[in-house]
Amino acid sequence: MKAEDLLLISVGGAAAKIARQIALKSRRDLSQPPMRILILDTDDAVLQTLTHAEGVSATIFGTQRLSGRGTGGDHILGVGAFRDDAAILMQQIGAPRLVVVLTCCGGGTSGACEPLLRALRDRGIANIVFATEPFAFEGDARKKTASIIAPILSETANAVTTVPLAAFMPKGSEQWTAEQSFDYVADRLSAGVSLLWTLLVHPGYIQFDVEHFRQMLEREVGGALTFAFADAEATGERRAETIVETLSSSPRFRLRGVDSLANASQVIVGVLAGDDLRLSELNTLMSGLQKVINKQAEVVLGTVNQAVFNGKMEVVVLAFTQQGLEIAPSGDALQPVRRRAGKGAKAKALTAVKDRFDDVERTIIDGVNYDEPTYLRRKIRLKR
Amino acid sequence: MATQVLGALDIGTQNTVLAAGEVVDGQLRILHVVTTPTYGVKKGIIRNIGEAVQTIRKAVSEMNQQHNIELYEVITSLSAQEIKTNVRKGTTSFVSTKVMNEDDEIEAQEAAFSIETPNSPDVLLQRFKQWFKVNNHSVESPVGMKGTQLEASVLELSAPRTAVEALHSAISQAGMHTVETIFSGCADAAAVLDQQTRSDGALVINFGAGTCDYLAISNRIVVAAGTLGIGGHHLTNDLAQAFQLNQDMAERMKIERGAAQIQPDLANERYSLQSTFSAERTVSVHAIQTVTTERVNETLYLLRDILLRQGVVPSTLHGGVWLTGGTAALPNITEQVSTVLDCTCRIGVPMDVIDVPEMIQMAPYRYATAIGLLKMRAKTLAQEVRKPSFFSRMRAFIKG
């Protein structure tokens, strides 16, 4: 996939800061094409504070309604603000093939994600959403807004992860200041998104099949795919082992009492390393991860090798789970869900929930397969 | 003299119904009905004989233990999307003008019958007499008419041999003997239509879990019959795919919020999905009803087109449409059927039976097939008592 086929959109002030971090991170690696980033916010003051970077454009929207101010936590204002300027904003977005949306659900501007995601889907643009939920100390109002926005994202996005900010925090971070905490989260989130980005635009020795990924996201199988993600980096002789340990125990794979790796239907493992990456390290990494990943899951590996990363190894893991599938609670005493699956089950893992008529003669009349859902055949969009 | 207890077994895709009845003073009395979830059946056809046998045994056991009724033989029904219909014509010519009798009637019909071989993939399920022509003039019955040529038309219904043999084998392994096998649409018509409605013309649709059986009658003659391999499970599966649910959750969603037309008073609500481990999520009722209405609509339009191809215009059936089967419970389905087929639609209720158990009264459309089977069996036995001859056996074979 070419760099121009990808677009990162941040929605809201907090997400804008993370987007800026990502832009800076991507510039660090000079061989990487500049990331196309569109920062959207209603608050002019936030946009003024951002350092401009190559490929980054910042747009204020909803000025008629909000006069360049924030939404004050009202997500309805966020929706209205986007709708006011939808035509201009969609023109600015253009026609990328994949859009990564970043938003922090506690703010009212994140309400704009709903019309944005609908517009993207209407135009056939695949999207994947990285959303965060506020820290507990941010107060009930932001928590309430997040509780409204998160389900909407699940209904309108192609794939979505909603991670509580607290899940990013490492052990021993309790004494950090709020600024340190936000900076750390922004750094981790940007690291994960950047790594995914690099994986998408850079063909490595083990190339990640981006088209397969995009098709997987675009497949209209009802609500959004949900995913969990975590990243890790390490140096030194035992860097692969260290990364396996970090990822296996990452709290981001154990959100809300659910073990995302044990329940994953597809897992994407992206490895960014130098030319010194050894096959034995890849073996260590993959065999280590596969011990904690659902045995039925399809695991896809992609690597990017760049000389500037010699001596270092960065890994991002995205674990996709479908809503409605059996979920195993996390906990060492509990075994991951083992589903009986025949030949081909892996390939079907992300296409749909089990089709009731898989093992029976199809109802085909005049060439039409009536076992396929009517709404899918008729391409009816559901107002979820 | 002790009355004979009749048994009827309707193995549906979702539920199996075992009914026991007896004829008292010429009327069918329902003794007891047992219903149990079906295993091993999909789209009306037995896919796993072992599971089907267990299902039947469970029903038989409940009938025996709870109601102290032992059934040794049953009349049963079959529904399968592979059921085929074929209209055949036969002619008998006479040397000179003669007054026709019942033998001539049967001879003309026999000339129309297809010839079945032991190895043919399909077996004949039922024959329905359609019309007669004496010297090319249509008559309702040729008996007593004068002419030199008698033409008969017969509608034949055949089913895959494997499906019929699997059904008989499962019943046999469960310890019972099959005395007759009837197309389930025909059993439904026997249950819910009276003579006047048959004369006016009617369409019976059994919208079951696995299939949709239909039988159209005009002037007391079966003019079209068949099965679509589409049923309530398709609605469930559509919901499962749309909202990423397992089939049980989707079934519950269908029962609680599915409809055949969007219900404005509910459409703005949200339906809450709760599972043991995952967080609660909600789904728009409008979206749920969009999925179910689209499927119901499509099925009804498909059925209308098939009927039109078979020469049946539903709006000319003045007796209307009678709906049976589990999917008849879907809200607004009669209204939607009326809209699509342009005629009145009612929920089918078994008629001319006495002592109807409460469970049948609660949802009569679910038991129409089993009750219809009992009525057909009672009719066959009554005909045999009156005239245990070749003619009566032929009549029993040629339903109409």
Side-chain angles (χ1 to χ4, degrees):
Chain A
M1 192 176 277
K2 294 174 187 170
E4 55 265 32
D5 290 333
L6 293 165
L7 173 66
L8 186 143
I9 301 175
S10 73
V11 182
K17 288 170 191 162
I18 298 168
R20 188 189 59 175
Q21 292 263 69
I22 292 170
L24 295 172
K25 206 172 174 63
S26 76
R27 280 195 302 171
R28 187 184 61 182
D29 169 19
L30 297 176
S31 66
Q32 182 160 309
M35 195 178 281
R36 224 182 118 213
I37 298 177
L38 177 60
I39 294 173
L40 300 179
D41 199 7
T42 60
D43 191 343
D44 194 32
V46 171
L47 296 187
Q48 295 298 331
T49 62
L50 296 176
T51 314
H52 290 289
E54 191 187 351
V56 179
S57 56
T59 299
I60 187 166
F61 66 100
T63 47
Q64 275 183 327
R65 189 181 293 253
L66 296 164
S67 307
R69 292 190 295 271
T71 57
D74 185 346
H75 73 282
I76 301 294
L77 280 178
V79 174
F82 185 91
R83 285 188 182 149
D84 291 346
D85 295 331
I88 299 165
L89 293 171
M90 291 313 292
Q91 197 175 6
Q92 215 170 345
I93 289 167
R97 304 198 71 206
L98 176 64
V99 168
V100 177
V101 177
L102 265 180
T103 193
C104 299
C105 290
T109 313
S110 60
C113 287
E114 185 199 355
L116 167 66
L117 293 169
R118 287 193 195 284
L120 292 176
R121 289 187 81 155
D122 287 346
R123 289 173 180 224
I125 301 170
N127 61 73
I128 178 167
V129 180
F130 289 77
T132 61
E133 289 175 359
F135 283 114
F137 62 74
E138 290 184 71
D140 288 344
R142 287 183 70 81
K143 201 175 163 187
K144 190 180 173 189
T145 305
S147 70
I148 295 168
I149 300 295
I152 292 172
L153 295 178
S154 295
E155 289 169 16
T156 48
N158 287 136
V160 64
T161 184
T162 312
V163 192
L165 290 174
F168 286 96
M169 303 307 288
K171 282 177 187 168
S173 61
E174 294 81 9
Q175 301 304 317
W176 289 5
T177 62
E179 188 181 359
Q180 278 178 312
S181 301
F182 279 117
D183 283 348
Y184 180 80
V185 168
D187 191 53
R188 290 322 324 142
L189 196 51
S190 61
V193 175
S194 299
L195 204 49
L196 175 67
W197 197 275
T198 308
L199 196 66
L200 292 172
V201 295
H202 274 279
Y205 292 120
I206 302 172
Q207 195 173 345
F208 176 60
D209 188 346
V210 182
E211 277 311 308
H212 176 65
F213 178 61
R214 202 182 65 83
Q215 286 165 11
M216 177 192 96
L217 295 176
E218 276 193 322
R219 216 166 268 152
E220 289 205 37
V221 290
L225 290 167
T226 54
F227 70 97
F229 83 102
D231 65 292
E233 58 182 63
T235 53
E237 267 303 302
R238 290 180 52 80
R239 56 187 181 173
E241 287 88 343
T242 307
I243 285 174
V244 168
E245 282 167 25
T246 308
L247 290 172
S248 301
S249 59
S250 173
R252 282 190 264 163
F253 287 130
R254 287 177 168 74
L255 297 175
R256 302 170 194 93
V258 173
D259 188 332
S260 305
L261 291 173
N263 291 286
S265 52
Q266 185 161 16
V267 177
I268 294 169
V269 181
V271 180
L272 182 60
D275 293 329
D276 58 347
L277 178 68
R278 297 189 303 272
L279 273 181
S280 62
E281 289 179 311
L282 279 179
N283 274 333
T284 304
L285 176 73
M286 295 309 286
S287 58
L289 288 175
Q290 276 169 336
K291 283 178 189 167
V292 290
I293 291 172
N294 179 9
K295 296 289 180 284
Q296 307 293 341
E298 182 186 4
V299 182
V300 179
L301 171 69
T303 65
V304 176
N305 302 85
Q306 291 186 354
V308 290
F309 284 98
N310 277 350
K312 193 176 175 186
M313 190 173 177
E314 291 185 16
V315 177
V316 64
V317 175
L318 283 82
F320 290 83
T321 316
Q322 283 186 317
Q323 293 180 30
L325 291 182
E326 296 168 82
I327 300 293
S330 62
D332 294 337
L334 293 163
Q335 293 298 307
V337 171
R338 298 272 192 270
R339 295 187 202 91
R340 276 191 300 168
K343 197 177 174 184
K346 284 183 184 177
K348 287 175 186 168
L350 280 164
T351 58
V353 294
K354 182 172 166 44
D355 186 340
R356 182 164 215 148
F357 309 111
D358 268 352
D359 54 351
V360 68
E361 276 88 349
R362 292 284 174 187
T363 299
I364 295 174
I365 302 168
D366 296 335
V368 178
N369 180 0
Y370 283 90
D371 288 344
E372 283 180 18
T374 309
Y375 80 97
L376 279 182
R377 273 185 283 113
R378 295 186 171 182
K379 300 189 190 313
I380 292 165
R381 289 191 175 276
L382 302 173
K383 296 174 187 170
R384 297 172 194 282
Chain B
M1 190 178 81
T3 54
Q4 183 181 354
V5 175
L6 312 176
L9 181 66
D10 169 30
I11 305 174
T13 304
Q14 179 89 1
N15 289 307
T16 291
V17 177
L18 180 63
E22 63 182 359
V23 179
V24 179
D25 298 330
Q27 273 203 300
L28 179 66
R29 176 174 171 245
I30 309 298
L31 293 171
H32 289 289
V33 173
V34 163
T35 181
T36 183
T38 301
Y39 296 97
V41 175
K42 284 199 171 179
K43 291 187 182 176
I45 290 186
I46 292 176
R47 309 280 162 181
N48 183 325
I49 287 191
E51 289 181 353
V53 170
Q54 290 306 317
T55 301
I56 301 167
R57 279 188 182 148
K58 188 166 183 288
V60 170
S61 164
E62 279 184 32
M63 182 64 86
N64 192 359
Q65 289 172 8
Q66 293 177 13
H67 308 298
N68 201 25
I69 295 176
E70 282 194 52
L71 294 169
Y72 301 101
E73 57 178 36
V74 285
I75 179 171
T76 190
S77 62
L78 184 76
S79 163
Q81 62 174 331
E82 296 90 347
I83 280 178
K84 293 174 189 150
T85 54
N86 193 10
V87 176
R88 297 182 63 86
K89 290 170 192 165
T91 307
T92 307
S93 298
F94 307 105
V95 178
S96 59
T97 302
K98 67 167 281 191
V99 178
M100 292 172 199
N101 57 30
E102 285 184 332
D103 285 345
D104 298 325
E105 183 182 319
I106 288 169
E107 195 176 333
Q109 288 178 25
E110 280 185 322
F113 291 172
S114 60
I115 297 165
E116 196 176 298
T117 62
N119 296 324
S120 60
D122 294 324
V123 291
L124 185 73
L125 199 60
Q126 275 182 279
R127 287 191 176 110
F128 304 97
K129 70 178 179 187
Q130 287 199 304
W131 47 257
F132 294 97
K133 283 182 181 174
V134 175
N135 289 359
N136 229 13
H137 292 286
S138 292
V139 294
E140 198 174 315
S141 169
V143 177
M145 301 273 181
K146 278 186 179 177
T148 55
Q149 192 184 58
L150 175 61
E151 189 182 357
S153 172
V154 174
L155 180 83
E156 288 188 340
L157 227 69
S158 55
R161 183 177 292 278
T162 48
V164 177
E165 288 177 352
L167 176 65
H168 292 174
S169 172
I171 294 171
S172 170
Q173 287 180 48
M176 292 188 296
H177 172 61
T178 309
V179 286
E180 273 184 88
T181 304
I182 303 291
F183 170 54
S184 63
C186 184
D188 284 275
V192 303
L193 299 185
D194 60 16
Q195 286 305 315
Q196 184 58 49
T197 314
R198 284 170 177 268
S199 297
D200 293 343
L203 171 66
V204 178
I205 302 172
N206 181 331
F207 208 145
T211 58
C212 189
D213 305 316
Y214 62 93
L215 186 124
I217 294 176
S218 180
N219 291 323
R220 295 198 294 273
I221 291 167
V222 175
V223 288
T227 298
L228 294 177
I230 303 169
H233 280 179
H234 282 79
L235 276 79
T236 307
N237 193 57
D238 288 5
L239 290 171
Q241 300 287 329
F243 304 110
Q244 298 294 290
L245 307 170
N246 62 40
Q247 296 289 333
D248 288 343
M249 290 168 79
E251 180 73 18
R252 195 161 61 240
M253 177 187 269
K254 179 184 78 176
I255 292 167
E256 292 176 357
R257 284 292 179 274
Q261 289 179 336
I262 303 279
Q263 296 173 296
D265 54 328
L266 292 177
N268 291 327
E269 290 183 4
R270 295 193 70 78
Y271 177 78
S272 178
L273 283 165
Q274 286 181 321
S275 62
T276 311
F277 299 114
S278 56
E280 180 186 326
R281 67 180 174 117
T282 62
V283 174
S284 153
V285 172
H286 188 279
I288 295 170
Q289 296 190 343
T290 300
V291 172
T292 54
T293 54
E294 286 297 328
R295 172 61 81 171
V296 170
N297 243 353
E298 179 185 65
T299 308
L300 292 175
Y301 276 108
L302 180 64
L303 179 59
R304 190 194 65 170
D305 291 347
I306 288 171
L307 287 168
L308 290 174
R309 270 185 243 165
Q310 293 182 28
V312 177
V313 181
S315 60
T316 62
L317 302 171
H318 300 300
V321 179
W322 299 78
L323 209 54
T324 63
T327 309
L330 202 66
N332 299 118
I333 194 162
T334 52
E335 290 87 341
Q336 192 56 26
V337 172
S338 295
T339 304
V340 175
L341 300 182
D342 193 22
C343 56
T344 56
C345 176
R346 302 176 191 89
I347 297 292
V349 178
M351 305 179 68
D352 303 327
V353 284
I354 53 174
D355 289 349
V356 179
E358 196 181 335
M359 67 188 291
I360 296 182
Q361 291 176 27
M362 299 279 285
Y365 46 89
R366 291 186 194 279
Y367 302 94
T369 309
I371 305 300
L373 287 172
L374 284 179
K375 286 176 84 173
M376 292 183 78
R377 184 65 189 149
K379 189 177 172 185
T380 305
L381 289 175
Q383 285 172 341
E384 283 185 1
V385 169
R386 279 203 303 271
K387 196 187 274 187
S389 65
F390 171 76
F391 295 129
S392 72
R393 289 202 302 278
M394 286 305 297
R395 277 205 195 90
F397 195 53
I398 304 170
K399 308 292 173 193

